[in-house]
Amino acid sequence: MADSKPLCSRDGDPMAAEALLRDVFGIIVDEVIRKGTSASEKVCEWKEPEELKQLLDLELRNQGEASEQILARCRAVIRYSVKTCHPRFFNQLFSGWDPHALAGRIVTESLNTSQYTYEIAPVFVLMEEEVLKKLRALVGWSSGDGVFCPGGSISNMYAVNLARYQRYPDCKQRGLRALPPLALFTSKECHYSIKKGAAFLGLGTDSVRIVKTDERGKMIPEDLERQIGLAEAEAAWGGSVLLSQTHRHLLDGIQRADSVAWNPHKLLTAGLQCSALLLRDTSNLLRRCHGSQASYLFQQDKFYDVALDTGDKVVQCGRRVDCLKLWLMWKAQGGQGLERRVDQAFALAWYLVEELKKREGFELVMEPEFVNVCFWFVPPSLRGRQKCPDYSERLAKVAPVLKERMVKAGSMMIGYQPHGTRGNFFRMVVANPALTRADMDFLLNELERLGQDL
Amino acid sequence: MADSKPLCSRDGDPMAAEALLRDVFGIIVDEVIRKGTSASEKVCEWKEPEELKQLLDLELRNQGEASEQILARCRAVIRYSVKTCHPRFFNQLFSGWDPHALAGRIVTESLNTSQYTYEIAPVFVLMEEEVLKKLRALVGWSSGDGVFCPGGSISNMYAVNLARYQRYPDCKQRGLRALPPLALFTSKECHYSIKKGAAFLGLGTDSVRIVKTDERGKMIPEDLERQIGLAEAEAAWGGSVLLSQTHRHLLDGIQRADSVAWNPHKLLTAGLQCSALLLRDTSNLLRRCHGSQASYLFQQDKFYDVALDTGDKVVQCGRRVDCLKLWLMWKAQGGQGLERRVDQAFALAWYLVEELKKREGFELVMEPEFVNVCFWFVPPSLRGRQKCPDYSERLAKVAPVLKERMVKAGSMMIGYQPHGTRGNFFRMVVANPALTRADMDFLLNELERLGQDL
């Protein structure tokens, strides 16, 4: 029954494989690490979808391609991708990069293992434990549990599922129908993952009760008390402020939460994804809530302590290693270096606010407390016309036009959004540790340049 | 208010960052790609957890470390990690590696973007569409939808959630309490993620109705018909057999399913994680079921077709790019090359079965149909004693002992498990494309060597 083809040679040529990887690495250094972080290069090279499809030749065919062609493909992928490490990429919370975190990510990819048992991930099981312990200590907990999740939204779902199980352990077996109606209290300004999670977990979006917020989006405690609810996880973006002695007061009280979702892939530039769910619980809640004791992975007759097999704490089966990038960066920077970055992000955000106030045509949505700076650019034709009836409507159309212009020029990227009754405003995120005051000045100058005819 | 510290220099030194990455890459080539795939090196270097903690010095401190120290840390992480690319790593479904997939993963890490909008992931939005189209075509669908998920278990949850929403759209808003009791029909041999998913989604594990299976673990249709249920996703491990003209008949009928979860990170060695959920649906079910229209990400007044922003199809917010590794490997190997790999895995599995039958002391659990080969090693002292009352009990203790011995020797890794009334047996997985007949012979010889005194 065995195939008659010769099966004595290894698949592919190891020397060729090594050469290919060296070439690809060289391309990454040139095109991403050097050019991609250079302010004199474009942050993106906009193409319309149909044109980009042509340029990329995406179709998967039956015939394989030679190395030269594959290298050309890598160059094209990089060329037309947005450079999120570029000093003018202000568009997302994960802008910027860290060489040690990237090193950790590349090592992780090359080792290609799953985080579920000590057997196949001895280093990473121990490392995750240590990293989570450190993050918990920063929250203010001397014990507890936790796990890295595929993103903050899933972390939030985990937290809701654990709260539900903690109060009603029957839920795991008997489902929501066996329970009284549940409500999920959250801030009016909560992340949209709360509603997504409520639907996914079978609670339904109607179960989400909105607690009123003040103008900064903070829950009004009296309103919450009126509604009384469960302790909700903090927003995952702000966690890294805990590293700063100067600014950690912004999260005063976080140690009273039962769970905290923290995304070091944002302000700490650990790289996507690095999202920790931290729990104060010491009763093995994660394992009790999610465990299913699959016998082929989590044998109980192993020759080591099976408590080290973390796989049954999660609802996934295989789970990526997300701790090494953060660990290696922390080892290299020290808590000190990371603190300096957080402080610098604050200092730059404040610098931006001061500069913005000096210029005509820029208007803050509100004074920032964190490193997000929300503002309108009011173009020349709208200045002084705040009282006109169509002012808001016209102002709301400015940001999309400027966004299109900056993207097509490739000069910078910054997000915009409407919010409640407020029309589109820019949402500047100061996260990239490579940013300087010159980049803040550039941002303002470039908006003025792009919007001078509006 | 701005900080008085100078903020004019970029964080870190770009030359030093580049040098560090080059050094780390050199270490990866030497330690993972060369030594890690060499049969003459150990597949793992076992350490007890306490000793390993000492060796790794995991603690995160306030003071940062110099490059030399960081490089030493990378070496240690690699040294004590299991080499899943090693030709004697048979322990998991994702054994082996592919240089093009690894290249794709390293490019993905360096570009560090999220798969949610065309704006920040133009290449990857189009590429994911193309890759999913290709996978759907192999299932036998000329249209449909899909998305890459963080692993097969989450893919399965997605499929269940979509089915629930399709039948009862009210569920999204009103939750499970507004619905009649639901049942989830699945095979007795289903992956444990089905039960985990039932609990997570609020259905409860009691809602999982087990359909009887034959001795191969296939659902008995008469039993299913008696219970009648929803079309369930196929097991994610076998999808890659669709690439083989010779073996795709094993999945005959798959095109009649509504959804298919397929993990190219297993048999195709695309690397963790690469897990596609494919849908036959053309009614935009994914977006209707999961969408929440977050205004700060999915603005409707963008200057391009917002249907290209795939982020609202998923329950995550940020989502990793999981398509490039598969796409690049496919471009390099062609459908042809991937087919050859699948066929070779079958041929080697059959070779192993034949060899195993020729030897005393090896007993198949059953004739394999796929590339998993389940068997017992019967040590000399138990041979011919099948009729003894304690035979099964003693045989079940053999695999854990052999596992401990092989891991501590570092010579190979292969999983074992009990199943129903069957005691522990070995579960050989032939997935690594670098395997040869010599590796199959080694496996049998090594078990004989390790178990000769038992």
Side-chain angles (χ1 to χ4, degrees):
Chain A
M1 192 148 97
D3 197 302
S4 61
K5 276 186 293 181
L7 293 170
C8 51
S9 74
R10 305 255 176 231
D11 181 73
D13 167 5
M15 298 300 288
E18 204 179 303
L20 173 96
L21 283 167
R22 284 195 190 279
D23 288 343
V24 168
F25 188 73
I27 293 172
I28 290 173
V29 169
D30 290 344
E31 302 298 324
V32 185
I33 294 172
R34 277 194 211 148
K35 286 200 210 160
T37 60
S38 161
S40 62
E41 299 279 339
K42 286 182 172 184
V43 61
C44 61
E45 187 165 335
W46 173 262
K47 296 289 171 193
E48 295 295 335
E50 284 311 315
E51 189 189 355
L52 187 53
K53 277 185 201 173
Q54 298 301 318
L55 286 166
L56 292 171
D57 174 29
L58 290 166
E59 191 191 339
L60 295 170
R61 305 194 183 83
N62 206 31
Q63 191 72 41
E65 292 176 348
S67 280
E68 272 318 300
Q69 183 64 18
I70 292 298
L71 294 175
R73 294 193 174 282
C74 289
R75 279 192 206 94
V77 163
I78 295 171
R79 176 169 178 184
Y80 299 112
S81 286
V82 171
K83 306 303 180 299
T84 65
C85 53
H86 193 283
R88 307 287 154 74
F89 179 82
F90 307 121
N91 212 72
Q92 247 74 22
L93 302 175
F94 54 79
S95 63
W97 77 296
D98 177 278
H100 299 98
L102 181 56
R105 284 145 62 199
I106 295 177
V107 171
T108 302
E109 291 297 327
S110 74
L111 288 170
N112 194 45
T113 197
S114 174
Q115 180 83 57
Y116 46 45
T117 62
Y118 185 78
E119 181 176 326
I120 62 157
V123 172
F124 302 126
V125 162
L126 300 180
M127 187 181 283
E128 183 174 56
E129 190 176 284
E130 186 69 25
V131 172
L132 292 170
K133 191 173 89 180
K134 184 72 184 180
L135 297 181
R136 281 196 306 265
L138 284 163
V139 169
W141 300 337
S142 58
S143 61
D145 203 351
V147 74
F148 279 92
C149 289
S153 294
I154 304 268
S155 289
N156 283 340
M157 282 184 218
Y158 263 67
V160 172
N161 189 43
L162 290 165
R164 167 168 91 175
Y165 176 80
Q166 173 79 318
R167 178 67 184 79
Y168 297 105
D170 258 11
C171 184
K172 182 176 179 181
Q173 194 184 335
R174 297 177 59 211
L176 282 173
R177 290 180 55 88
L179 272 50
L182 301 179
L184 226 164
F185 295 92
T186 187
S187 135
K188 181 161 173 293
E189 304 301 329
C190 72
H191 190 257
Y192 72 102
S193 61
I194 301 296
K195 283 200 167 185
K196 285 206 175 196
F200 197 68
L201 296 166
L203 295 160
T205 54
D206 278 355
S207 71
V208 178
R209 305 296 168 80
I210 301 301
V211 180
K212 286 183 196 149
T213 54
D214 63 19
E215 58 166 12
R216 296 201 161 278
K218 292 179 182 171
M219 266 195 198
I220 298 173
E222 294 72 24
D223 193 61
L224 174 60
E225 277 170 22
R226 248 195 350 264
Q227 303 202 30
I228 257 343
L230 64 164
E232 189 43 56
E234 289 290 321
W237 150 236
S240 301
V241 84
L242 292 171
L243 286 158
S244 164
Q245 291 306 314
T246 315
H247 301 291
R248 61 167 291 142
H249 67 87
L250 290 170
L251 290 179
D252 273 355
I254 192 173
Q255 72 284 357
R256 293 203 301 273
D258 289 322
S259 64
V260 171
W262 179 347
N263 283 356
H265 65 231
K266 292 175 178 166
L267 193 50
L268 293 187
T269 65
L272 290 164
Q273 284 174 339
C274 189
S275 180
L277 172 67
L278 306 175
L279 298 173
R280 193 158 56 159
D281 169 76
T282 54
S283 72
N284 221 359
L285 179 63
L286 268 177
R287 204 179 288 261
R288 285 185 294 124
C289 179
H290 296 146
S292 78
Q293 292 92 39
S295 65
Y296 73 97
L297 270 177
F298 310 119
Q299 304 92 333
Q300 297 303 301
D301 52 5
K302 284 188 176 178
F303 62 93
Y304 61 85
D305 178 5
V306 294
L308 289 164
D309 293 349
T310 56
D312 227 15
K313 286 185 175 186
V314 300
V315 298
Q316 302 96 294
C317 174
R319 187 162 63 92
R320 287 177 52 83
V321 171
D322 286 330
C323 55
L324 175 60
K325 46 201 164 197
L326 178 58
W327 182 84
L328 199 64
M329 177 172 70
W330 205 309
K331 280 288 191 190
Q333 293 279 340
Q336 225 169 52
L338 297 177
E339 174 171 19
R340 211 160 34 230
R341 281 199 195 168
V342 173
D343 289 346
Q344 168 163 317
F346 273 88
L348 273 180
W350 291 340
Y351 172 79
L352 176 65
V353 168
E354 288 194 348
E355 290 304 304
L356 188 151
K357 286 176 177 172
K358 290 178 192 162
R359 301 197 188 204
E360 208 190 338
F362 288 91
E363 200 184 319
L364 277 180
V365 173
M366 66 177 65
E367 289 284 337
E369 275 194 352
F370 193 35
V371 298
N372 312 31
V373 181
C374 296
F375 65 91
W376 287 279
F377 173 72
V378 185
S381 69
L382 284 178
R383 291 178 198 162
R385 295 174 163 268
Q386 280 81 344
K387 301 242 166 86
C388 296
D390 62 348
Y391 175 80
S392 300
E393 195 186 321
R394 287 172 64 191
L395 182 61
K397 288 181 178 152
V398 171
V401 172
L402 293 181
K403 179 66 177 262
E404 177 169 4
R405 290 180 178 182
M406 70 178 79
V407 167
K408 290 187 171 170
S411 59
M412 68 176 179
M413 288 182 74
I414 171 170
Y416 72 84
Q417 64 165 99
H419 184 266
T421 57
R422 292 167 177 134
N424 286 320
F425 52 82
F426 286 110
R427 181 167 164 271
M428 169 69 182
V429 176
V430 184
N432 183 346
L435 295 180
T436 67
R437 290 183 175 186
D439 297 310
M440 303 298 105
D441 295 339
F442 176 87
L443 166 76
L444 299 173
N445 293 338
E446 182 68 0
L447 285 174
E448 284 175 349
R449 187 183 75 81
L450 293 168
Q452 61 190 348
D453 62 333
L454 294 180
Chain B
M1 192 149 94
D3 197 300
S4 61
K5 275 186 294 180
L7 292 170
C8 52
S9 73
R10 305 256 175 228
D11 181 73
D13 167 4
M15 298 300 289
E18 204 178 301
L20 173 96
L21 283 167
R22 283 194 192 281
D23 288 344
V24 169
F25 188 73
I27 293 172
I28 289 173
V29 168
D30 291 345
E31 302 298 323
V32 185
I33 293 173
R34 274 193 214 150
K35 285 199 212 161
T37 59
S38 161
S40 61
E41 300 279 338
K42 286 183 172 184
V43 61
C44 61
E45 187 166 335
W46 173 262
K47 297 288 172 194
E48 296 296 331
E50 284 312 314
E51 188 189 356
L52 187 53
K53 278 185 198 171
Q54 298 303 317
L55 287 165
L56 292 170
D57 174 30
L58 290 165
E59 191 191 341
L60 296 169
R61 306 195 183 84
N62 206 31
Q63 192 72 42
E65 292 177 348
S67 281
E68 272 318 300
Q69 182 64 18
I70 293 298
L71 293 176
R73 293 194 176 283
C74 290
R75 278 192 207 95
V77 163
I78 294 171
R79 175 168 179 186
Y80 299 113
S81 286
V82 171
K83 307 304 180 297
T84 65
C85 53
H86 192 284
R88 307 288 155 74
F89 178 82
F90 307 121
N91 211 72
Q92 246 74 23
L93 302 175
F94 54 78
S95 62
W97 76 297
D98 176 279
H100 299 99
L102 181 56
R105 284 145 62 199
I106 295 177
V107 171
T108 302
E109 292 297 326
S110 74
L111 288 170
N112 194 45
T113 198
S114 174
Q115 181 82 56
Y116 46 45
T117 62
Y118 185 78
E119 183 175 325
I120 62 157
V123 172
F124 302 126
V125 163
L126 300 181
M127 187 181 283
E128 183 175 56
E129 192 175 282
E130 186 69 24
V131 173
L132 292 170
K133 192 173 88 180
K134 184 72 184 180
L135 297 181
R136 282 196 306 264
L138 284 163
V139 169
W141 300 337
S142 57
S143 62
D145 202 350
V147 73
F148 279 92
C149 289
S153 294
I154 304 266
S155 288
N156 283 340
M157 283 185 217
Y158 263 67
V160 172
N161 190 43
L162 290 165
R164 165 167 94 174
Y165 177 80
Q166 173 79 319
R167 178 67 185 81
Y168 297 105
D170 258 12
C171 184
K172 182 176 179 180
Q173 194 183 335
R174 297 177 60 212
L176 281 174
R177 290 179 55 86
L179 271 49
L182 301 180
L184 226 164
F185 294 92
T186 187
S187 134
K188 180 161 175 292
E189 303 303 328
C190 71
H191 190 256
Y192 72 103
S193 63
I194 301 296
K195 283 201 167 186
K196 284 206 175 197
F200 198 68
L201 296 165
L203 295 162
T205 54
D206 278 355
S207 71
V208 178
R209 306 293 169 82
I210 300 302
V211 180
K212 286 183 196 149
T213 54
D214 63 20
E215 58 165 12
R216 296 202 159 278
K218 293 179 182 170
M219 267 195 199
I220 298 173
E222 294 70 26
D223 193 61
L224 175 60
E225 275 169 24
R226 250 199 344 267
Q227 304 202 31
I228 265 326
L230 64 165
E232 190 43 56
E234 288 291 320
W237 150 237
S240 301
V241 84
L242 292 171
L243 286 157
S244 164
Q245 291 306 314
T246 315
H247 301 291
R248 61 167 293 142
H249 67 87
L250 290 170
L251 290 178
D252 273 355
I254 193 172
Q255 71 284 356
R256 293 203 301 272
D258 289 323
S259 64
V260 171
W262 178 348
N263 283 357
H265 65 230
K266 293 175 179 166
L267 193 49
L268 292 187
T269 65
L272 290 165
Q273 285 175 336
C274 188
S275 179
L277 173 66
L278 307 175
L279 298 174
R280 193 158 57 159
D281 168 77
T282 55
S283 72
N284 221 0
L285 178 63
L286 268 177
R287 205 179 288 262
R288 286 185 294 125
C289 179
H290 296 144
S292 78
Q293 292 93 39
S295 65
Y296 73 97
L297 269 178
F298 310 118
Q299 304 93 335
Q300 297 304 301
D301 52 5
K302 284 188 176 178
F303 62 92
Y304 61 85
D305 178 5
V306 294
L308 288 165
D309 293 350
T310 56
D312 227 13
K313 286 185 175 184
V314 299
V315 298
Q316 301 95 295
C317 174
R319 186 162 63 92
R320 288 178 52 82
V321 172
D322 286 329
C323 54
L324 175 60
K325 47 200 163 199
L326 178 57
W327 181 83
L328 199 64
M329 176 173 71
W330 205 309
K331 280 288 193 190
Q333 293 279 340
Q336 227 168 51
L338 297 178
E339 175 171 18
R340 210 161 33 231
R341 280 197 195 169
V342 173
D343 289 346
Q344 168 162 317
F346 272 89
L348 273 180
W350 291 340
Y351 172 79
L352 177 65
V353 169
E354 289 195 349
E355 290 304 304
L356 189 150
K357 287 177 177 171
K358 289 180 193 162
R359 300 196 189 206
E360 208 191 337
F362 289 91
E363 200 185 320
L364 276 181
V365 174
M366 66 177 67
E367 289 285 336
E369 274 195 353
F370 193 34
V371 297
N372 312 30
V373 180
C374 296
F375 65 91
W376 286 279
F377 173 71
V378 184
S381 69
L382 284 178
R383 291 179 199 163
R385 294 174 162 269
Q386 279 80 343
K387 301 241 166 90
C388 296
D390 62 348
Y391 176 81
S392 301
E393 195 185 322
R394 287 172 66 191
L395 183 60
K397 288 180 178 152
V398 171
V401 172
L402 293 181
K403 180 67 177 262
E404 177 169 5
R405 290 180 179 184
M406 71 178 77
V407 167
K408 290 187 171 171
S411 58
M412 68 176 180
M413 288 182 73
I414 170 169
Y416 72 85
Q417 64 164 101
H419 184 267
T421 56
R422 291 168 178 134
N424 287 318
F425 52 84
F426 286 110
R427 182 168 164 269
M428 169 68 183
V429 176
V430 184
N432 183 346
L435 294 180
T436 66
R437 290 184 176 186
D439 297 310
M440 303 299 104
D441 295 337
F442 177 86
L443 166 76
L444 299 174
N445 293 338
E446 182 69 359
L447 285 174
E448 284 175 350
R449 188 184 74 81
L450 293 168
Q452 62 191 348
D453 62 332
L454 295 179

